[in-house]
Amino acid sequence: MTPTLPDKLRSAARALAGTPIAELFARDPERVERLSVDALGFRADLSKERLSPEALAGLCEHAREAGLAGWIAALLAGEKVNVSEKRPALHPRMRDDADADTLASRQAVAALADAVRRGERRGASGSPFAHVVHLGIGGSDLGPRLVVDALGPAHDERAPGVSFVANVDPAALDRALAPLDAATTLFVIASKSYTTQETLTNASAARAWLAAALPSGADPGAHFVAATANPGAARAFGVPDTAILPFPEGVGGRFSLWSSVGVTIALALGNEAHAALLAGAHAMDRHFATAPFERNLPVVLALAGVWNASALGYRQRVVVPYAHALGVFASYLQQLSLESNGKRVTRDGSPVEGRTAPALWGGVGTDGQHAFFQWLHQGTDVVPVEFVVPAAPVRGDRGRHALLVANALAQAQALAFGRATPDAARASPGDRPSTTLVTPALDARTLGALCALYEHRTFVEGILWGINPFDQFGVELGKILAGPIAEALDGRGDLAGADASTRALVGYIRSRLAPAG
Ligand code: F6P
């Protein structure tokens, strides 16, 4: 059953929907304080949302009635919160070094990263590794890619260069390999299942590339590390036992960054940064576990998300980090939110009442201001925006950083309050809601906490929509259908059972495919 919003909240939403945001500020001089949450050096300011402190209190009450405290405790205790697959969601455990298994896994990751960085683990021809190519897709790509992109490159001459290849499009791997020397290239195969077609195809292509370039008789297996919950399959592929970093089945794909998949982070940024990332996430776990709902960052952000989607009916969410380092953040959140909460049946299989996750997209500020902000300010659709703004730069001068921050605050101000002018083309209607999340300077610890914050927010939203945020059965059908289509494109099989459009497209594309070389 979907825990539907109580009538009281629905009528509050109707009243707020007709009230200008400026009037909400005028009515309550303490609005900003009452709708801001400070924790772990973060500030979430929800005062520009179409929300009142009373509605937020009502949402907290609703969350209590929906049993949220029990769900949070169950998640963090490693209970089977993934009800359809009957398993726990173990990502919080992966960042708790009080757990003996976690500690052992982290030590294995750190030892391997150290051995590569010190040149103790070498390629088949005896050369130290100078470059790492991370092969993985979905969560096995986006999490580590986000972190390495945000925090790298390391100021350490022993750190290898790192590139990421996710797409099965040969252009992706071929482009990544073009400047590299096989003798000094290490591949990290990141795949929980070790069955993902894109990753395995790229891993096989990488092995063929190594075999062609290494001296004859050299073992390409020495150039692979695997992070997986299926070590047997990695072994069968040829990855040496000492380079297989297993992790538990209970770590969901979009959370694999916290598992041994983080070996790429340790390789790129060093074990200290990797540990700080995990410690930041663990600190957010503790906050999530212990803070009262009204002061709990993930809970309050989730309640605002449910409010926007379910009470006010907004069907999109735009996320704009004002941080060049967070260039991958919108894509990362897109997978986290949409693969988790893009569901239409509840945990017991009945249809959800109302709607679940809105579409999520975004891009960095200030670049986005010159792309989609026109649409946000004056378009016919109103879309709540989430500004993520580091208060201070980790590196770089304060002057330019202040300009960046000024732009973020100005955009939020313009969206909320608009500009009245008799010239209709120049008028900005305002009344476009936003949240501003101010973060500490974006170091490894902060980034860990930020990712955990959004993970828990997504979990809470899923619980309040009555769905299981930890499965993703919707992605399976397309994977199954791709097999026979690939065979038909290759001239094997005729797709007899397929629809006319697919068969015609296969025929058309086959007639234009260059003959296999
Ligand atoms: O897109 C489906 C999915 O299962 C994601 O959840 C996951 O992140 C991705 O594929 C990769 O899966 P694996 O790590 O098993 O290769």
Side-chain angles (χ1 to χ4, degrees):
M1 258 280 295
T2 317
T4 46
L5 287 178
D7 288 345
K8 211 166 71 177
L9 281 175
R10 290 191 182 280
S11 55
R14 277 192 295 277
L16 284 164
T19 313
I21 292 176
E23 196 180 316
L24 298 176
F25 275 87
R27 275 187 202 167
D28 180 0
E30 282 162 23
R31 180 173 171 80
V32 175
E33 292 70 32
R34 296 175 74 198
L35 285 172
S36 293
V37 178
D38 290 347
L40 300 180
F42 289 75
R43 162 165 291 197
D45 175 355
L46 289 85
S47 63
K48 296 194 196 75
E49 292 287 356
R50 202 174 267 295
L51 180 67
S52 65
E54 295 72 25
L56 184 58
L59 285 162
C60 287
E61 197 45 43
H62 169 60
R64 277 188 272 276
E65 280 162 14
L68 180 61
W71 279 101
I72 295 174
L75 168 74
L76 298 174
E79 288 173 25
K80 291 183 179 167
V81 289
N82 179 350
V83 286
S84 58
E85 297 177 297
K86 299 186 180 47
R87 59 185 180 215
L90 292 180
H91 51 285
R93 188 172 292 176
M94 296 293 102
R95 47 224 190 188
D96 181 2
D97 58 14
D99 182 275
D101 292 341
T102 296
L103 193 60
S105 156
R106 275 211 218 168
Q107 284 166 345
V109 166
L112 192 139
D114 266 346
V116 170
R117 288 159 69 94
R118 291 199 194 116
E120 291 158 12
R121 182 178 277 272
R122 291 174 175 237
S125 49
S127 308
F129 294 114
H131 201 93
V132 172
V133 181
H134 179 101
L135 305 175
I137 198 162
S140 293
D141 168 68
L142 288 163
R145 190 193 285 256
L146 164 73
V147 174
V148 171
D149 189 58
L151 303 177
H155 299 292
D156 173 355
E157 65 203 18
R158 296 175 315 167
V162 177
S163 36
F164 289 84
V165 176
N167 202 332
V168 74
D169 182 340
L173 184 67
D174 294 355
R175 182 185 290 185
L177 297 186
L180 301 182
D181 175 2
T184 59
T185 301
L186 177 69
F187 293 89
V188 173
I189 305 173
S191 177
K192 175 175 135 176
S193 60
Y194 219 92
T195 59
T196 302
Q197 188 201 47
E198 293 95 325
T199 303
L200 295 192
T201 303
N202 281 331
S204 297
R207 191 175 48 190
W209 177 77
L210 288 165
L214 292 174
S216 81
D219 174 18
H223 291 247
F224 286 98
V225 167
T228 182
N230 185 358
R235 200 171 297 125
F237 178 87
V239 183
D241 274 342
T242 55
I244 297 177
L245 300 165
F247 65 90
E249 190 72 37
V251 181
R254 41 206 173 274
F255 308 95
S256 60
L257 124 85
W258 311 107
S259 72
S260 56
V261 165
V263 67
T264 302
I265 296 169
L267 283 162
L269 307 173
N271 291 330
E272 210 179 304
H274 187 213
L277 180 88
L278 292 159
H282 182 63
M284 187 57 74
D285 293 339
R286 298 317 310 148
H287 166 74
F288 184 48
T290 54
F293 287 175
E294 288 75 3
R295 315 305 308 157
N296 191 310
L297 278 172
V299 171
V300 167
L301 289 181
L303 293 175
V306 169
W307 177 256
N308 279 340
S310 302
L312 297 172
Y314 294 122
R315 295 313 307 143
Q316 299 185 53
R317 248 174 96 184
V318 165
V319 179
V320 190
Y322 274 68
H324 185 71
L326 293 178
V328 182
F329 197 57
S331 302
Y332 161 82
L333 282 187
Q334 196 171 55
Q335 193 219 14
L336 178 63
S337 178
L338 303 188
E339 202 162 83
S340 298
N341 290 338
K343 312 275 167 71
R344 56 195 283 286
V345 295
T346 61
R347 290 184 289 268
D348 65 14
S350 52
V352 292
E353 281 183 37
R355 286 161 144 177
T356 57
L360 188 160
W361 56 279
V364 289
T366 60
D367 304 14
Q369 292 175 200
H370 303 272
F372 54 86
F373 270 66
Q374 163 63 36
W375 180 85
L376 291 176
H377 286 293
Q378 288 189 317
T380 49
D381 291 280
V382 174
V383 176
V385 181
E386 289 159 46
F387 293 93
V388 179
V389 187
V394 173
R395 299 188 269 264
D397 61 89
R398 291 175 58 145
R400 283 182 294 163
H401 182 76
L403 197 54
L404 178 72
V405 171
N407 270 280
L409 303 188
Q411 293 300 323
Q413 193 182 3
L415 283 167
F417 305 109
R419 174 174 64 175
T421 137
D423 178 347
R426 288 186 168 75
S428 280
D431 275 328
R432 297 182 176 220
S434 69
T435 288
T436 302
L437 178 68
V438 183
T439 78
L442 206 69
D443 58 10
R445 192 178 167 88
T446 301
L447 184 59
L450 180 69
C451 292
L453 164 56
Y454 273 90
E455 285 176 353
H456 292 323
R457 170 202 167 129
T458 305
F459 167 67
V460 172
E461 287 177 337
I463 294 307
L464 294 179
W465 284 319
I467 59 185
N468 173 12
F470 296 118
D471 61 18
Q472 62 282 320
F473 296 119
V475 303
E476 282 176 8
L477 178 59
K479 291 186 194 175
I480 294 167
L481 295 175
I485 296 175
E487 285 177 11
L489 284 169
D490 200 29
R492 297 175 286 127
D494 58 5
L495 279 183
D499 63 279
S501 164
T502 305
R503 276 188 283 122
L505 285 167
V506 165
Y508 179 85
I509 293 166
R510 246 177 82 69
S511 70
R512 279 155 183 79
L513 267 177

